[in-house]
Amino acid sequence: MDEKATDSSTHLPPLPTMEFIFFSIFPCLLLILLPTSAIGRSIPTISEIEGGGNGYEKPAAADCDGKWIHIRKLPSRFNTDLLRACNSFPVFAEDFCPSLANHGLGPRTHNRSRSWYRTDHHYLEPLFHRRLLEYPCLTGDPAGAEAIFLPYYAALDALPYLYSSDFYNDSAQHGLHLQRFLVDDDNPQIWSRRSGHDHFLVMARPAWDFSQDPAADPPSWGTSFLHLPAFLNITALTIESRPDAWQEHAIPYPTSFHPATIERLESWLDRVKRSLRPTLMLFAGGGGGGGPNIRGSIRAECENRTDLCEIVDCSDGACAHDPIRYMLPMLRSRFCLQPPGDTPTRRSTFDGILAGCIPVFFEELSARSQYSWHLPPIEYGEFSVFIPKEEVVFHGVHVADVLEAIPDEQYRRMRRRVLEIVPSVIYRRHGSSAGLRARKDAFDLAIDGVLRRIKQRPDQWA
């Protein structure tokens, strides 16, 4: 495998320059691995964190047995340089620079907010990277690490291949420069020791966006990153995985709620628990036009049953950076409908859980076969409802009828279970209190899953 990886990266095209890819560049303040953040707060280095410089007590070595993680040092072209073009890619009309504030959490929803941010899931990569810098079991020695993290912002690096006509036909090139750097240029023994099995990274887009067959003619949507020989063994944490994928595992979309203390988390959970639920069901989203489809059926039913259903129109990105627009309706709804759209999964699933709104799924790929580290598949009946979309679209099943038929006691059990799940699907704020760090969040469960996954495949190492 190593020979193939080397051969496939020996004749690379020139790395696209920012001037060529982007119309103009107005550098944003970088938030990761730079001296200061957008608000002037010093960002700890790995050495400071390992030495307790972030204010956290360094754990005993025994507490880190089997948990050591090494962060690879990558050239800035693989991460922070990509953040510099935050408002420059021509496909996006809006300015994405504000989403970089607070280390990828985005700006606060208002000046007095302490836990709510206008988070954009496309910046999960720097957000996750920042949290990993606080991980208590970091080591500077890759040979002594169970897992090695690649701080590569793959989703941002993929933008020209996905959206620029100049690079669309070259999507098979995405990742070749990283492959060459890891396999040939930078201590290749780190990679060859386990043929990449101990490496992992985060990709803030669905895995479908990185899995185009490199031989596709004509090219279809996506890049071919996950088809590159060197990356066949890595673990990619994506917001949506493919069925039966070997390489990736899905982790939750980030919501807009990032508490820093246990008191703020418990205060929110108390509000969710006390909230009245006069609305039976809610759909927050767009789409539904064209031929028969589940979103169109849901919209039609909601428009005919306004006494039972509420719609929050999120067309054209109306809800993207405005959590108040959909969180308040979710707080007053019993069930949140989560139909698939362009892809099976939705960020709204996690927004709804955060609001204590029981998710209603219409296909298995929307969640049950995605987030097994955070939402155990065998427990789905305890906190969600499943209605096959074909029954709704083609066989006249009414969603409201199914939900109204659920006994009150069963509904109360499901609601309690949803509340129990909330801490495990949110990403707490970096620099959070010791009390909150004692409760595992989406990041912690992702790291635990990565370590288990790597340990379970030792027989595959070269």
Side-chain angles (χ1 to χ4, degrees):
M1 183 172 289
D2 291 336
E3 287 184 359
K4 292 181 180 179
T6 302
D7 291 342
S8 65
S9 61
T10 53
H11 298 94
L12 298 183
L15 187 67
T17 64
M18 289 295 165
E19 292 81 8
F20 185 74
I21 298 176
F22 303 108
F23 288 175
S24 61
I25 291 182
F26 300 95
C28 295
L29 293 174
L30 303 183
L31 304 178
I32 305 295
L33 305 178
L34 296 181
T36 58
S37 72
I39 57 175
R41 179 178 177 273
S42 176
I43 296 178
T45 64
I46 293 177
S47 59
E48 289 173 335
I49 290 173
E50 289 182 326
N54 62 343
Y56 297 163
E57 182 178 351
K58 187 176 180 179
D63 295 334
C64 290
D65 285 347
K67 301 177 183 178
W68 292 107
I69 293 178
H70 173 73
I71 300 178
R72 290 290 298 263
K73 287 186 177 181
L74 298 182
S76 60
R77 69 177 183 271
F78 294 120
N79 41 56
T80 55
D81 282 357
L82 299 170
L83 303 181
R84 295 181 184 275
C86 55
N87 67 346
S88 304
F89 200 76
V91 72
F92 298 118
E94 62 181 305
D95 183 350
F96 275 85
C97 292
S99 296
L100 288 173
N102 297 301
H103 307 271
L105 300 182
R108 298 180 188 273
T109 52
H110 55 83
N111 291 337
R112 297 179 59 189
S113 173
R114 291 296 178 267
S115 300
W116 289 89
Y117 301 82
R118 302 185 188 278
T119 303
D120 190 299
H121 72 262
H122 291 99
Y123 285 94
L124 176 60
E125 293 156 354
L127 184 161
F128 198 99
H129 187 183
R130 178 60 181 85
R131 278 291 306 278
L132 192 61
L133 291 177
E134 294 180 351
Y135 180 70
C137 299
L138 293 179
T139 176
D141 178 17
E146 277 70 36
I148 298 176
F149 176 66
L150 289 175
Y152 170 55
Y153 301 164
L156 298 179
D157 200 23
L159 288 178
Y161 302 106
L162 296 175
Y163 295 110
S164 172
S165 59
D166 295 311
F167 291 95
Y168 185 76
N169 290 329
D170 296 324
S171 57
Q173 307 296 323
H174 178 218
L176 286 179
H177 293 84
L178 178 63
Q179 176 178 262
R180 181 174 64 182
F181 177 81
L182 295 171
V183 174
D184 297 332
D185 297 346
D186 181 61
N187 296 321
Q189 68 276 8
I190 298 176
W191 186 265
S192 62
R193 182 169 64 105
R194 296 178 179 175
S195 299
H197 275 281
D198 54 352
H199 283 60
F200 73 101
L201 77 166
V202 178
M203 308 176 84
R205 299 184 72 95
W208 310 95
D209 291 356
F210 306 99
S211 56
Q212 179 187 172
D213 185 344
D217 187 17
S220 57
W221 171 261
T223 80
S224 301
F225 182 91
L226 291 175
H227 284 277
L228 292 179
F231 301 140
L232 294 177
N233 296 328
I234 63 169
T235 293
L237 302 181
T238 61
I239 56 175
E240 179 178 322
S241 65
R242 299 164 292 173
D244 304 318
W246 164 260
Q247 293 148 288
E248 72 267 12
H249 194 96
I251 61 174
Y253 287 75
T255 68
S256 290
F257 182 61
H258 308 283
T261 66
I262 191 69
E263 291 79 14
R264 290 172 187 164
L265 172 60
E266 291 180 345
S267 176
W268 171 253
L269 292 176
D270 184 60
R271 178 181 178 181
V272 172
K273 184 177 181 180
R274 291 184 291 104
S275 62
L276 300 177
R277 308 278 172 167
T279 303
L280 175 67
M281 60 188 195
L282 169 85
F283 171 56
N293 62 77
I294 183 61
R295 290 196 176 207
S297 297
I298 287 173
R299 283 183 170 274
E301 182 174 346
C302 285
E303 289 166 358
N304 289 329
R305 298 299 305 271
T306 55
D307 57 323
L308 297 176
C309 184
E310 181 175 357
I311 295 178
V312 177
D313 189 0
C314 294
S315 301
D316 301 321
C319 300
H321 301 133
D322 187 8
I324 294 175
R325 183 181 178 93
Y326 52 84
M327 288 305 298
L328 292 178
M330 286 178 171
L331 282 169
R332 58 177 179 258
S333 302
R334 288 189 165 203
F335 298 93
C336 284
L337 311 183
Q338 306 297 348
D342 293 336
T343 66
T345 65
R346 309 183 70 216
R347 168 179 166 165
S348 177
T349 294
F350 302 100
D351 292 323
I353 290 174
L354 176 60
C357 189
I358 298 169
V360 180
F361 300 116
F362 299 89
E363 65 175 49
E364 297 286 351
L365 278 175
S366 289
R368 191 183 186 99
S369 59
Q370 295 281 343
Y371 306 102
S372 60
W373 296 345
H374 299 80
L375 303 174
I378 61 173
E379 299 179 14
Y380 263 72
E382 299 177 10
F383 64 84
S384 69
V385 177
F386 179 70
I387 307 174
K389 61 184 179 183
E390 295 81 7
E391 296 297 310
V392 178
V393 177
F394 300 112
H395 300 295
V397 171
H398 292 97
V399 178
D401 292 344
V402 175
L403 301 181
E404 282 191 303
I406 295 175
D408 287 344
E409 179 55 35
Q410 181 181 351
Y411 162 72
R412 286 192 288 269
R413 288 197 303 269
M414 296 173 75
R415 186 175 171 185
R416 287 194 295 268
R417 187 68 183 106
V418 167
L419 282 171
E420 293 171 355
I421 289 172
V422 169
S424 66
V425 299
I426 63 172
Y427 295 85
R428 67 176 180 266
R429 181 185 164 87
H430 49 270
S432 57
S433 67
L436 188 55
R437 296 199 306 275
R439 300 185 68 170
K440 291 189 176 183
D441 71 342
F443 169 87
D444 296 319
L445 293 177
I447 293 298
D448 289 348
V450 165
L451 292 169
R452 287 195 306 271
R453 182 184 175 100
I454 291 174
K455 289 176 184 177
Q456 288 169 357
R457 300 194 299 179
D459 58 318
Q460 300 295 325
W461 294 347

